[in-house]
Amino acid sequence: MTDAKSPALSPSLALSHRPRRNRKADWARRLVRENVLTADDLIWPIFLVEGENVRTEVGSMPGVERLSVDQAVAAARRAADLSIPAIALFPYTDPDLRDLHGSEALNPENLVCRACRAIKGQVPHIGVVTDVALDPYTSHGHDGVLEGETILNDESVAILVEQALNQARAGADVIAPSDMMDGRIGAIRAALDAEGFIDVQIMAYAAKYASAFYGPFRDAIGTKAVLKGDKRTYQMDPANSDEALREVALDLDQGADMVMVKPGLPYLDIIHRVKLRFAAPTFAYQVSGEYAMIMAAARNGWLDGDKAMLESLLAFKRAGADGILTYFAPKVAELLKKSA
């Protein structure tokens, strides 16, 4: 039996344009690269827990831990060493401290406030972003005041304003309302200014969707088991995109310095539309479910975890995001530092 003959090679095509020329070598690809991911693009979300020298893993988020305040300070120092500009704080509140109105949110000695003071005292040049919403503090797991089956908007905003002031007094650099109540940005901005916090920034969760991708986060802050019903009466319908633009416009008009789209990868179209329409600082939150999916697939050997992580973050930059909140932040920053 004779070997099969190789097919004859085709003659060269008469092409004026050969896009592959710009992809022929690493130096050429780097030279024409349209978007670049750096540590400057990252915000690291950190979960807080009571105690001292405590680090407890979040089971549904491999590699993510709840940290006591002293360990959060160490994490902030690590972030600063990696040139990560800012961290974002989220508390796991003791169930005994939760009530119908989220009163612990107004306690100047709550976890978030103590962490703010400790971090700004020891790592003053790191940015500290604090979450304004009542879900970590309510016994029903909602972001506002619950009456029957209704989340009361204006009554919730009044409490959120006091929560924002409480965090600003503790040293927060950026107030980030994630509750999706109507009018809360204007009310918070007015209150901050009236108390002299004119330089405290507001990063509005302007387009926050009622998503299935938040499950591991709710594990981390302890609200999954207590949440009554769902959040569809105040978080956005995943089917809507024009509505997101109206929400962003309202928040910017009311004084937001930055806006956020949440979740991230399933909503790249929203990020793109927001950036094109408003040209305002626009952030994406790569939420817990997105993180957990990549980690689970990587741990099962179904994909290259580091490559998938970096590709997913670059997608946010390509869509128009100026920065990304991601649990991958320290790992990404370390990889980028090694490759520099």
Side-chain angles (χ1 to χ4, degrees):
M1 178 182 289
T2 58
D3 293 336
K5 291 184 178 180
S6 299
L9 296 177
S10 299
S12 297
L13 300 172
L15 298 178
S16 298
H17 301 286
R18 290 183 179 268
R20 286 186 56 190
R21 281 194 285 259
N22 286 339
R23 302 195 289 265
K24 68 180 181 181
D26 177 67
W27 67 263
R29 293 189 295 272
R30 287 188 287 118
L31 197 63
V32 300
R33 187 162 291 151
E34 298 172 30
N35 294 283
V36 178
L37 179 70
T38 75
D40 292 339
D41 298 315
L42 306 174
I43 297 175
W44 182 11
I46 291 173
F47 296 112
L48 302 170
V49 70
E50 291 287 357
E52 187 174 347
N53 197 30
V54 175
R55 307 179 73 97
T56 59
E57 185 164 300
V58 179
S60 54
M61 300 178 69
V64 172
E65 299 171 308
R66 300 185 192 95
L67 307 176
S68 54
V69 170
D70 57 313
Q71 293 299 308
V73 171
R77 192 173 290 113
R78 179 186 177 197
D81 290 343
L82 290 170
S83 299
I84 295 172
I87 59 174
L89 304 178
F90 298 92
Y92 175 90
T93 304
D94 188 313
D96 292 339
L97 296 176
R98 301 175 191 242
D99 60 27
L100 291 174
H101 298 95
S103 304
E104 180 66 8
L106 308 187
N107 178 3
E109 294 301 320
N110 67 29
L111 260 177
V112 169
C113 290
R114 281 185 279 127
C116 276
R117 289 192 293 270
I119 291 167
K120 295 306 292 185
Q122 298 189 48
V123 196
H125 300 302
I126 195 87
V128 176
V129 182
T130 53
D131 176 55
V132 171
L134 297 182
D135 54 325
Y137 306 100
T138 56
S139 53
H140 46 72
H142 279 285
D143 299 51
V145 178
L146 182 66
E147 185 175 89
E149 296 183 356
T150 301
I151 299 297
L152 302 178
N153 190 90
D154 296 10
E155 293 84 350
S156 297
V157 169
I159 300 173
L160 296 169
V161 167
E162 293 304 316
Q163 182 185 16
L165 288 171
N166 192 33
Q167 294 172 354
R169 293 174 192 135
D173 298 293
V174 181
I175 299 298
S178 65
D179 56 284
M180 289 300 286
M181 298 298 124
D182 293 339
R184 89 276 204 214
I185 299 302
I188 290 171
R189 183 73 270 164
L192 289 172
D193 290 354
E195 197 160 313
F197 295 113
I198 59 173
D199 290 330
V200 172
Q201 297 154 275
I202 295 179
M203 176 187 287
Y205 287 63
K208 181 179 180 180
Y209 285 84
S211 172
F213 288 90
Y214 301 148
F217 177 90
R218 290 172 183 163
D219 286 338
I221 66 168
T223 62
K224 191 172 185 178
V226 302
L227 179 61
K228 298 179 180 178
D230 57 50
K231 303 189 178 187
R232 289 181 294 176
T233 65
Y234 49 102
Q235 294 179 358
M236 286 182 53
D237 186 337
N240 295 351
S241 58
D242 290 343
E243 182 184 14
L245 300 185
R246 295 194 294 272
E247 288 278 11
V248 170
L250 286 168
D251 284 357
L252 289 171
D253 286 346
Q254 291 174 34
D257 301 286
M258 300 168 275
V259 294
M260 186 199 300
V261 175
K262 182 181 180 183
L265 283 178
Y267 297 88
L268 291 178
D269 60 317
I270 308 301
I271 297 167
H272 188 62
R273 291 191 68 186
V274 167
K275 188 62 177 181
L276 281 179
R277 172 71 68 88
F278 300 102
T282 302
F283 289 77
Y285 199 139
Q286 185 179 50
V287 299
S288 59
E290 299 172 62
Y291 171 89
M293 288 192 302
I294 292 173
M295 288 297 293
R299 288 195 167 194
N300 278 284
W302 297 334
L303 50 72
D304 184 312
D306 287 353
K307 288 181 179 178
M309 169 186 70
L310 292 168
E311 185 177 339
S312 68
L313 295 176
L314 192 59
F316 294 121
K317 295 298 299 294
R318 194 179 65 246
D322 297 289
I324 308 125
L325 285 83
T326 176
Y327 304 99
F328 287 121
K331 186 173 185 180
V332 171
E334 287 173 350
L335 287 175
L336 295 173
K337 192 172 184 178
K338 288 178 183 176
S339 64

